[in-house]
Amino acid sequence: MTSFALPHEVHGDGAHKVFAVHGWFADRSAYAAVLPDVDRASFAYALVDLRGYGEARDATGAYTTAEAAVDLVELADRLGWERFSVIGHSMGGAVAQRLLAVAPHRLRRIVGVSPVPASGMPLAGEQQALFTGAAHRAAYRRAIIDVTTGGRRPAAWLDRMVARSLERSDAKAFRAWLDSWAGEDFSADVVGSEVPALAVAGALDPALSPEVMRQTWMSWYPRARLAVLPGAGHYAMDETPLELIRTVEDFLRADGTDGTDGTDGTDAAREAKEAVEGREGEPA
């Protein structure tokens, strides 16, 4: 693996540095829907394009989660980020977990949004044919997006998601990435990690469901948390952006400036809610 500068854009100038890593179907534009409402005073978000995507569409490489983790550490060095958190969607969630093995001392917190488990997702039969064929067939990509969002999203949105995916990814890299995130099991390298880890699961996602998170993420990481978004499937950034932002940023804020647990503001939020609604069930 050779040194490579991941194309990126930084939003915010907060002290808490955060990488946002996209999934299999998109480049860094996957986070476009949440950008207007993130806390840029508390956080600095670096959105990256992995090899084979976006501005790195023509970049060569192994197209593996292990390579991507090394690329992120290299970018952190270039940015002068000694410690940082990582948010990863789907395949990007596997990349975030790779960092638990590659550079655990540099991680403050990790967040997986519908994250692929570190054990991979073995595919077989028709499912394998569907995912393999998605590299070159738009209809297959559309079917995958439709199923993983509970079959509830508008046709125009599905079409737009597929069009973005085709435009912003290289077909050969797309296919190679599948072998890594689906076929590689590196769980033995990360189980027991003490880095605080939040899994955000969409209740409408049948593939990376809350139950899958309980069987993997929650059983592996001693400081793990699980948040379930009732209105989301696999693409919470698009489906429930405000709920996702609040969930993720509350978790990130719980990390003190020295990397230890601090206040995440939830006590204050609860007290304010009680003041509005009335304590002990009494109307305000």
Side-chain angles (χ1 to χ4, degrees):
M1 293 183 291
T2 58
S3 176
F4 176 71
L6 292 174
H8 62 282
E9 58 189 68
V10 178
H11 297 267
D13 55 6
H16 193 149
K17 312 304 183 184
V18 185
F19 284 116
V21 186
H22 61 81
W24 191 41
F25 269 66
D27 63 340
R28 67 184 191 244
S29 67
Y31 292 94
V34 301
L35 278 180
D37 300 302
V38 297
D39 182 351
R40 297 167 187 244
S42 299
F43 306 102
Y45 290 99
L47 280 57
V48 304
D49 285 334
L50 298 178
R51 300 184 194 223
Y53 292 88
E55 292 181 19
R57 195 173 186 273
D58 298 325
T60 59
Y63 309 116
T64 65
T65 57
E67 178 183 65
V70 173
D71 285 343
L72 282 172
V73 173
E74 170 69 16
L75 180 56
D77 291 341
R78 292 172 182 264
L79 293 173
W81 291 6
E82 180 58 32
R83 300 194 70 230
F84 49 86
S85 294
V86 181
I87 303 168
H89 173 243
S90 194
M91 176 179 80
V95 174
Q97 291 169 87
R98 278 284 191 185
L99 282 162
L100 296 174
V102 171
H105 59 291
R106 301 187 65 172
L107 290 175
R108 295 178 66 164
R109 301 194 155 216
I110 69 168
V111 177
V113 181
S114 298
V116 172
S119 55
M121 288 187 64
L123 304 172
E126 293 183 357
Q127 189 180 50
Q128 182 180 35
L130 178 66
F131 278 72
T132 300
H136 299 282
R137 291 190 164 188
Y140 286 15
R141 297 195 191 199
R142 192 181 193 278
I144 292 170
I145 297 171
D146 191 22
V147 169
T148 58
T149 53
R152 300 188 182 189
R153 303 309 172 205
W157 179 81
L158 295 173
D159 293 340
R160 179 166 59 84
M161 293 287 281
V162 171
R164 181 181 69 179
S165 178
L166 291 169
E167 178 186 356
R168 305 298 290 173
S169 65
D170 173 77
K172 290 182 179 179
F174 185 90
R175 174 63 186 84
W177 274 108
L178 174 64
D179 290 337
S180 178
W181 67 256
E184 295 174 355
D185 181 353
F186 59 92
S187 57
D189 298 328
V190 299
V191 168
S193 170
E194 291 287 343
V195 175
L198 171 68
V200 181
L204 305 180
D205 184 356
L208 291 164
S209 63
E211 183 55 33
V212 170
M213 296 303 106
R214 294 184 185 99
Q215 294 172 1
T216 57
W217 193 283
M218 294 301 293
S219 67
W220 293 341
Y221 306 129
R223 301 178 69 188
R225 299 182 190 177
L226 172 62
V228 179
L229 301 182
H234 191 67
Y235 297 89
M237 293 91 71
D238 293 277
E239 298 172 273
T240 55
L242 296 181
E243 291 86 345
L244 179 64
I245 293 169
R246 178 61 187 267
T247 299
V248 171
E249 292 192 337
D250 279 354
F251 175 74
L252 294 178
R253 285 194 187 91
D255 191 89
T257 56
D258 60 353
T260 60
D261 279 342
T263 177
D264 62 0
T266 55
D267 288 342
R270 183 173 61 251
E271 290 174 1
K273 184 173 184 291
E274 290 174 347
V276 172
E277 296 179 349
R279 295 181 183 274
E280 299 181 358
E282 296 180 2

